[in-house]
Amino acid sequence: MAQVPESHLDLLHQRTEKTYARLWLIIIGALCLLVAVSWGGRQFYVRWQEHKLMRQAHVAFDKNDLRWAAMAAQRAFAVDPKSADACRTLAAIAEKQHAPEAIDWRRRVVALLPESMPDRVALVECALRLEQPSIAAEALAKVPPAQQNDARYHTTAAHLALVKKDFASAEKHLEAAVRLSPNEPRRRLELAEFQIRSDDEAKRQAGRALAEELKSDPKLKLEALHILINDAVRTHNDSAGLELAKELDAFSGASYADRLLALGILRSLNDPAFTAALTRLQGESSASADKAVQLMNWMNSHELALLAIDWSKRLPPEMLNSIPLRFALADAFVRLRDWTALKAMLKGGSWERGEPVRRALLARAARETGDDMACEKNWVAAVGAADGDPARLNLLQTIAFQWKWPEKGVAVLWMLAENPGAQREALQSLYRYYAEQRDTTGLYRTLSRLVAVMPDDPAVRNNYAQISLLLKAETIRATGMARDLHEAHPHDAAYASTYAFALFQSGDVKGAVKLMSQLT
């Protein structure tokens, strides 16, 4: 058999190698394409899933279903931690609930979009609403100079200045905001409200004139009326107050609460139109349980409880089965101190979720009639009927403090402090109570819990360090906390003074004096 020349074999090997090389290139290219498609598909799926969940969150939020909105937004955030929309929505939900977490979510948005002025402004306004001016100032200070020539920046800076009671700066910022956005009447209205409160009569007159001008705008009329009414009441301008109240009552865009405000002015000034206005509202409210409750509560708070009871007798019987209306009627009996009538009313009907308050009212009637045993028995039953529900327990503690039963209110607040969903608000309420009572031990107990619940809140950490140092409890931890706060916020006088006190207590007098001497 003929032998294949060696040159032909080499050529065959080369062709085979090229074929294998091409095959490997095709395989590698296919794998790369597969990885790219998989990665792109995953990214597409993540975006699609995030958008789908956020649509659900927005729909639920618009319906005020905060629980479902929060669940959907949290799932969207879990899918895509870089979703600014999810963070904004969770911040908005927390703001509606007055929860401190709102600040953390706003900070996340700013971290994702550092150049976004609306998001930075939202963070500052959120911090101001939650009474954290230091956080607001820190966020506003990071706005680059190039972005400060902006109406939103100046409006927010004015709000911060007002909180700090720096009225001169607030006025400058408000004027700058109006100058930069002359076609936005709402900013002009803010300036008018500020000017009306000025000590300068000329500025007050300018503010009133501006508010009167803006009152002609249907979108701003209600707010302008409120500003002018508040000014008239504050300055005891009865004639202007009456005219404005009548204008508010006649305004088609006024809410029921606005009409009650107008009614209150008519009553306080003994205007003859009061009786007709009240009769008109009574007739309107007889067809709505919600309005009837509002009107009865209004009459109770304006020393018209007897009139409220008389009017209740003319309401439809089925309306009197409304638990909120029963409580409003019970309040009327309490104000009149008619304990016999109160007990009789509380015995009838089904109270369902209102059982804790019914029992609390029975406790009040027993206390007022000298039956202390029945009082304690009914109060214990009231707390038991709340069944650990934060909303009902919170209502009971509010009632206890209103009735000057602080020991009962404090006990309920400590119960709420054990509930993860209610503990922050409860502990903050306890902090305010112990501060008013000058109860340092109570403050320490509360702050010990607060610092565990809110470990990243600098104000809470500073307060805890102060109280711990005063009581000489856990001083090593308190000193470390004070030092960390001062290092993180070197220009904050509150944190510097706490750390100086820690140095003083530890024997470093020179260090304490040096630190304090650096303060203005």
Side-chain angles (χ1 to χ4, degrees):
M1 187 171 66
Q3 192 173 10
V4 179
E6 190 173 333
S7 60
H8 287 184
L9 287 174
D10 290 341
L11 183 61
L12 184 61
H13 282 306
Q14 289 175 6
R15 288 177 179 176
T16 303
E17 287 175 357
K18 287 180 180 179
T19 301
Y20 278 119
R22 282 197 295 270
L23 183 60
W24 275 110
L25 285 173
I26 291 170
I27 292 171
I28 291 170
L31 286 172
C32 290
L33 180 62
L34 180 62
V35 169
V37 168
S38 299
W39 176 255
R42 181 184 179 280
Q43 292 298 100
F44 174 79
Y45 175 77
V46 166
R47 287 196 297 271
W48 174 79
Q49 186 76 352
E50 186 263 347
H51 290 159
K52 174 187 172 184
L53 289 166
M54 287 313 302
R55 281 197 300 272
Q56 296 174 3
H58 289 309
V59 169
F61 185 83
D62 291 340
K63 293 179 179 179
N64 205 34
D65 185 353
L66 300 185
R67 181 172 175 272
W68 178 250
M71 288 174 61
Q74 284 168 349
R75 287 174 62 195
F77 178 74
V79 168
D80 182 8
K82 293 184 179 180
S83 171
D85 191 14
C87 295
R88 284 193 199 99
T89 302
L90 289 165
I93 293 168
E95 284 173 357
K96 279 202 167 191
Q97 297 169 333
H98 305 287
E101 291 91 342
I103 294 176
D104 296 330
W105 288 114
R106 291 291 180 196
R107 279 174 162 165
R108 285 178 184 269
V109 180
V110 170
L112 290 168
L113 303 169
E115 300 300 318
S116 171
M117 175 65 79
D119 287 310
R120 190 169 292 278
V121 165
L123 168 59
V124 176
E125 296 289 1
C126 173
L128 291 176
R129 278 192 294 273
L130 293 172
E131 300 178 357
Q132 296 291 343
S134 61
I135 295 176
E138 182 182 356
L140 196 64
K142 292 180 180 178
V143 176
Q147 289 187 319
Q148 291 181 10
N149 193 34
D150 183 284
R152 292 166 298 184
Y153 168 81
H154 284 289
T155 299
T156 307
H159 296 166
L160 177 60
L162 286 171
V163 169
K164 293 182 173 181
K165 301 190 184 302
D166 184 355
F167 301 119
S169 294
E171 184 175 18
K172 289 178 182 177
H173 284 300
L174 287 171
E175 288 172 346
V178 170
R179 185 177 65 254
L180 291 166
S181 57
N183 297 323
E184 292 187 38
R186 193 166 298 282
R187 300 194 196 281
R188 298 176 68 204
L189 189 63
E190 273 200 82
L191 177 60
E193 184 175 17
F194 176 83
Q195 290 176 326
I196 282 174
R197 292 178 172 273
S198 172
D199 294 331
D200 186 325
E201 179 59 28
K203 289 181 180 179
R204 286 201 298 272
Q205 291 295 346
R208 291 180 189 124
L210 183 54
E212 283 287 351
E213 176 192 336
L214 294 169
K215 196 176 65 171
S216 61
D217 185 338
K219 295 180 180 179
L220 296 177
K221 180 166 184 169
L222 195 57
E223 291 178 66
L225 277 172
H226 277 284
I227 290 170
L228 290 167
I229 286 172
N230 289 338
D231 174 56
V233 171
R234 187 173 58 253
T235 57
H236 305 288
N237 189 342
D238 295 349
S239 59
L242 274 176
E243 291 304 316
L244 290 164
K246 290 175 182 177
E247 188 175 354
L248 178 63
D249 184 50
F251 179 47
S252 60
S255 66
Y256 192 79
D258 290 323
R259 295 174 67 192
L260 289 176
L261 171 64
L263 188 66
I265 294 172
L266 296 177
R267 171 169 166 72
S268 65
L269 297 177
N270 296 314
D271 191 80
F274 167 72
T275 303
L278 177 59
T279 302
R280 188 168 60 253
L281 277 180
Q282 285 178 333
E284 179 184 332
S285 303
S286 296
S288 166
D290 181 58
K291 289 182 178 179
V293 171
Q294 291 185 63
L295 182 56
M296 190 170 290
N297 285 330
W298 181 91
M299 287 193 282
N300 288 339
S301 63
H302 286 77
E303 300 180 352
L304 296 172
L306 188 60
L307 196 61
I309 293 170
D310 181 63
W311 175 59
S312 71
K313 296 174 183 176
R314 302 194 297 275
L315 292 174
E318 62 273 12
M319 190 178 288
L320 291 173
N321 289 327
S322 161
I323 293 177
L325 190 59
R326 286 193 214 171
F327 285 142
L329 188 56
D331 184 40
F333 288 128
V334 169
R335 290 173 185 271
L336 293 174
R337 303 185 67 79
D338 190 345
W339 310 116
T340 303
L342 176 63
K343 287 179 181 178
M345 191 204 74
L346 293 172
K347 287 179 181 177
S350 171
W351 294 80
E352 300 172 355
R353 286 179 60 83
E355 181 64 13
V357 180
R358 185 184 81 89
R359 284 287 193 167
L361 286 165
L362 285 170
R364 174 72 186 275
R367 170 72 65 88
E368 296 292 346
T369 53
D371 191 345
D372 291 339
M373 186 177 294
C375 172
E376 293 302 319
K377 178 181 176 182
N378 277 295
W379 182 260
V380 170
V383 174
D387 195 27
D389 179 68
R392 288 188 282 180
L393 285 174
N394 195 51
L395 182 57
L396 285 179
Q397 67 88 10
T398 302
I399 288 172
F401 281 110
Q402 285 178 347
W403 291 349
K404 305 293 191 284
W405 294 358
E407 71 287 348
K408 289 180 169 54
V410 167
V412 175
L413 281 173
W414 279 113
M415 291 178 65
L416 284 165
E418 299 301 322
N419 186 296
Q423 59 186 176
R424 288 194 180 191
E425 187 177 345
L427 288 167
Q428 287 167 341
S429 295
L430 285 165
Y431 178 83
R432 288 191 293 271
Y433 170 76
Y434 287 128
E436 289 172 1
Q437 300 299 312
R438 300 179 180 274
D439 185 341
T440 313
T441 305
L443 280 173
Y444 176 70
R445 180 187 174 195
T446 304
L447 286 164
S448 296
R449 290 290 307 281
L450 263 177
V451 81
V453 173
M454 304 169 65
D456 298 323
D457 190 305
V460 169
R461 289 164 61 82
N462 185 59
N463 290 339
Y464 171 78
Q466 284 181 340
I467 295 297
S468 297
L469 292 166
L470 282 169
L471 294 178
K472 297 183 179 180
E474 293 191 273
T475 54
I476 295 176
R477 183 189 183 198
T479 300
M481 201 175 286
R483 181 186 59 251
D484 293 344
L485 284 169
H486 173 60
E487 290 176 353
H489 308 274
H491 303 298
D492 191 299
Y495 303 151
S497 58
T498 302
Y499 184 40
F501 182 48
L503 293 175
F504 176 79
Q505 277 208 338
S506 65
D508 186 0
V509 178
K510 288 183 179 179
V513 171
K514 180 181 178 182
L515 191 56
M516 292 299 289
S517 65
Q518 294 173 358
L519 300 178
T520 58

